[in-house]
């Protein structure tokens, strides 16, 4: 699909100029399937997407990761074999945790680890939190949180005889400190929220909300899945208790790559996590008769680390550290602003509405737009190598991974949405739009 707009299109000229002056533009070429100028790689063996607008759901792989994985198989795995555990694998979950904490989470060393899925880490940390507040009866969460977050807490509430206290958030925005203040109290054990809402892209006020919860001595668990790698996170400064997040979204860890967890230093030896595995014990190879949890962050690990799954994310974390998360955020804001300009100009006249916050200070790295035809639009786009994603009932998400997405790619993606939607509307009206 080629854009139908003429080449003198001022939006296209703007996109090209932005790409030329983009200080992070050179990172794009470090991802597989892209070239620096914003068009798909003509030399690639397989056809690449014209516009990939879903890097917030599954990040593009890096070329460095392709090399790292191949080298790992023939090198560390192939030649060091079981000795690899002593060489480096045992420490890898904590080493990558430290790197990630420094590059993107505002977390000092030995508070972040990599392992399990986000779902399992949510369970482990939320269970540990509610058990640390015995006698308290409620868990606060919001109705628009990601399904797995809601389901896991439903299970913990049932297991522990607790009540879920729901905040009904504005689906086009998200949870505010005032809403949290209205529901937390001496009965609250835990507050679980997403830093960036997966649907609207709303960026919550982490510092203010954490403070509100702490006035009632409740613990707070933040899900960073949609902010890590695109929005600066300041876990230590915000005095956050617990956090989890995905590594396969903006961190390009690859499908099913293990998640990360953060436990503030002073809570580590206080909390007890429910999946007591040998890898979280004080002396792993003692193989003693009973579980003796490790001191420090290692106690939140359970079984053997998924070393192969931890390879790819290391290259993206290094890139973020080099680019700096502040610059990554600045580009992310510029990309979403540009997408909104195109939406207002081209799509609003066709009845499309913006379901994400207008002010960039309240918005993460993606923009969601609504129209009753978006399911069909997304299907047609996917078949034509333009890849946004669809979230029921009628939202199309434009995810703009700052390191791998160019302004011209954003232009091409939104232009394709425009053209497909126009075609559908013309078809519906018998040719009169
Ligand atoms: C993507 C995402 C998840 C996914 O959890 P998995 O265990 O990896 O399937 C969980 N929570 C949020 C907020 C997400 O965006």
């Amino acid at each position: 699909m080629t854009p139908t707009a003429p080449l003198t299109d001022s939006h296209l000229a703007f996109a090209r100029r932005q790409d030329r002056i983009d200080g992070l533009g050179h990172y794009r070429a470090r991802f597989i399937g892209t070239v620096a100028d914003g068009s798909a790689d003509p030399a690639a063996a397989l056809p690449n997407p014209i516009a990939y607008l879903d890097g917030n759901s599954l990040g593009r792989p890096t070329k460095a990761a392709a090399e790292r994985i191949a080298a790992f198989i023939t090198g560390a795995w192939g030649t060091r074999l079981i000795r690899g555990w002593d060489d480096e694998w045992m420490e890898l979950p904590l080493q990558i945790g430290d790197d990630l904490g420094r590059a993107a989470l505002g977390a000092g060393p030995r508070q972040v680890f990599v392992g399990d899925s986000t779902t399992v880490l949510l369970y482990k940390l939320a269970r540990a939190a509610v058990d640390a507040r015995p006698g308290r009866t409620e868990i606060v969460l919001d109705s628009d949180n990601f399904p797995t977050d809601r389901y896991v807490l439903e299970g913990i509430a049932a297991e522990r005889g607790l009540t879920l206290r729901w905040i009904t958030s504005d689906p086009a925005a998200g949870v505010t400190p005032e809403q949290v203040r209205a529901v937390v109290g001496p009965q609250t054990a835990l507050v679980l929220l997403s830093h960036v809402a997966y649907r609207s892209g709303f960026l919550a006020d982490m510092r203010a909300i954490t403070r509100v919860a702490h006035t009632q001595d409740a613990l707070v668990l933040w899900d960073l899945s949609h902010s890590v790698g695109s929005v600066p996170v300041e876990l230590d400064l915000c005095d956050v208790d617990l956090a989890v997040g995905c590594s396969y979204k903006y961190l390009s860890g690859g499908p099913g790559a293990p998640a990360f967890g953060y436990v503030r230093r002073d809570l580590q030896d206080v909390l007890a996590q429910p999946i007591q595995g040998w890898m979280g014990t004080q002396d792993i190879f003692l193989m003693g008769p009973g579980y003796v949890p490790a001191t420090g962050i290692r106690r939140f690990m359970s079984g053997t680390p998924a070393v192969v799954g931890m390879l790819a994310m290391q290259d993206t974390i290094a890139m973020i550290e080099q680019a700096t998360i502040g610059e990554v955020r600045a580009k992310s804001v510029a990309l979403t602003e540009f997408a909104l300009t195109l939406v207002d100009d081209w799509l609003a006249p066709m009845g499309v509405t913006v379901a994400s916050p207008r002010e960039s200070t309240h918005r993460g790295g993606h923009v969601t737009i609504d129209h009753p035809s978006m399911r069909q639009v997304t299907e047609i786009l996917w078949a034509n190598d333009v890849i946004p994603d669809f979230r029921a009932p009628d939202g199309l998400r434009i995810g703009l991974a700052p390191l791998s997405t160019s302004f011209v790619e954003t232009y091409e993606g939104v232009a394709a949405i425009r053209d497909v939607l126009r075609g559908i509307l013309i078809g519906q009206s018998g040719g009169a739009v």
Side-chain angles (χ1 to χ4, degrees):
M1 226 175 303
T2 45
T4 53
L7 293 186
T8 52
D9 181 335
S10 67
H11 292 312
L12 182 57
F14 174 84
R16 287 184 171 146
R17 192 165 60 246
Q18 288 301 110
D19 282 336
R20 265 198 311 278
I21 63 173
D22 177 8
L24 303 188
H26 61 283
Y27 285 106
R28 184 169 153 79
R30 298 208 209 165
F31 290 82
I32 289 184
T34 59
V35 288
D37 70 358
S39 50
D41 185 351
L46 293 168
N48 291 307
I50 294 161
Y52 187 54
L53 307 178
D54 216 359
N56 61 320
S57 220
L58 180 71
R60 285 184 187 266
T62 64
K63 292 173 180 170
E67 285 169 23
R68 183 192 290 272
I69 289 170
F72 177 83
I73 293 171
T74 53
W77 180 10
T79 65
R80 296 298 295 164
L81 294 163
I82 195 92
R83 294 172 294 183
W85 288 109
D86 292 335
D87 294 347
E88 56 182 356
W89 302 337
M90 217 55 151
E91 280 303 309
L92 202 59
L94 306 187
Q95 181 225 303
I96 299 175
D98 283 353
D99 294 344
L100 179 62
R102 199 175 56 242
L105 301 178
R110 291 305 188 244
Q111 299 180 100
V112 181
F113 68 105
V114 178
D116 308 309
S117 64
T118 301
T119 301
V120 171
L121 288 187
L122 277 165
Y123 177 75
K124 286 162 69 167
L125 298 190
R127 249 294 296 269
V130 299
D131 288 356
R133 290 291 180 274
R136 294 192 173 214
T137 54
E138 290 186 0
I139 302 173
V140 169
L141 72 168
D142 81 292
S143 54
D144 206 37
N145 210 334
F146 195 83
T148 214
D149 300 55
R150 292 181 277 114
Y151 304 159
V152 164
L153 289 205
E154 206 181 300
I156 290 177
E159 204 173 45
R160 285 306 201 223
L162 303 171
T163 305
L164 297 181
R165 184 79 178 260
W166 295 95
I167 293 173
T168 306
S169 49
D170 176 352
V175 179
T176 63
E178 293 67 39
Q179 286 177 305
V180 177
R181 191 171 295 118
V183 296
V184 294
Q187 74 289 354
T188 312
L190 173 68
V191 177
L192 167 79
L193 295 170
S194 278
H195 188 210
V196 169
Y198 82 103
R199 206 192 294 265
S200 69
F202 180 82
L203 174 59
D205 187 339
M206 175 180 279
R207 186 190 295 248
I209 289 174
T210 302
R211 200 181 293 140
V212 167
H214 284 174
T215 61
Q216 299 292 340
D217 199 29
L219 292 164
V220 186
L221 169 52
W222 284 99
D223 190 326
L224 309 177
S225 292
H226 270 91
S227 56
V228 64
S230 73
V231 175
V233 183
E234 292 289 355
L235 293 175
D236 289 351
L237 272 180
C238 295
D239 201 25
V240 166
D241 304 299
L242 303 162
V244 298
C246 286
S247 67
Y248 51 79
K249 293 172 177 165
Y250 293 107
L251 297 183
S252 286
F260 63 89
Y262 166 91
V263 181
R264 202 181 60 226
R265 200 181 317 277
D266 61 292
L267 288 172
Q268 290 171 4
D269 297 336
V270 179
L271 298 184
Q273 64 106 337
I275 303 180
Q276 302 182 351
W278 68 313
M279 286 287 162
T281 57
Q282 189 62 30
D283 188 347
I284 295 167
F285 290 101
L286 181 66
M287 302 192 161
Y291 172 74
V292 181
T295 51
I297 191 72
R298 183 174 283 285
R299 85 160 53 181
F300 298 92
M301 291 174 51
S302 296
T304 301
V307 172
V308 175
M310 294 178 196
L311 296 175
M313 69 179 80
Q314 295 177 59
D315 295 296
T316 321
I317 293 168
M319 239 186 255
I320 292 168
E321 180 157 36
Q322 191 186 48
T324 77
I325 188 67
E327 290 299 311
V328 170
R329 168 66 174 162
K331 179 167 178 190
S332 168
V333 168
L335 285 169
T336 53
E337 289 287 333
F338 180 50
L340 284 171
T341 300
L342 300 178
V343 168
D344 287 340
D345 198 11
W346 292 338
L347 305 183
M350 290 191 274
V352 171
T353 55
V354 173
S356 294
R358 284 280 172 181
E359 319 85 78
S360 61
T361 48
H362 296 310
R363 190 173 67 232
H366 67 271
V367 169
T368 300
I369 54 178
D370 284 348
H371 188 281
S373 297
M374 284 313 185
R375 185 188 297 273
Q376 196 188 348
V377 169
T378 306
E379 273 168 24
I380 296 172
L381 289 171
W382 277 43
N384 287 280
D385 284 329
V386 172
I387 311 179
D389 73 11
F390 175 75
R391 286 291 174 268
D394 48 20
L396 180 147
R397 270 195 325 188
I398 304 171
L400 301 163
L403 289 174
S404 62
T405 309
S406 66
F407 288 84
V408 168
E409 185 177 19
T410 304
Y411 170 95
E412 287 176 341
V414 183
I417 297 167
R418 172 197 64 196
D419 295 347
V420 167
L421 182 59
R422 185 186 287 148
I424 291 170
L425 296 180
I426 289 173
Q428 285 170 359
S429 69
V433 164

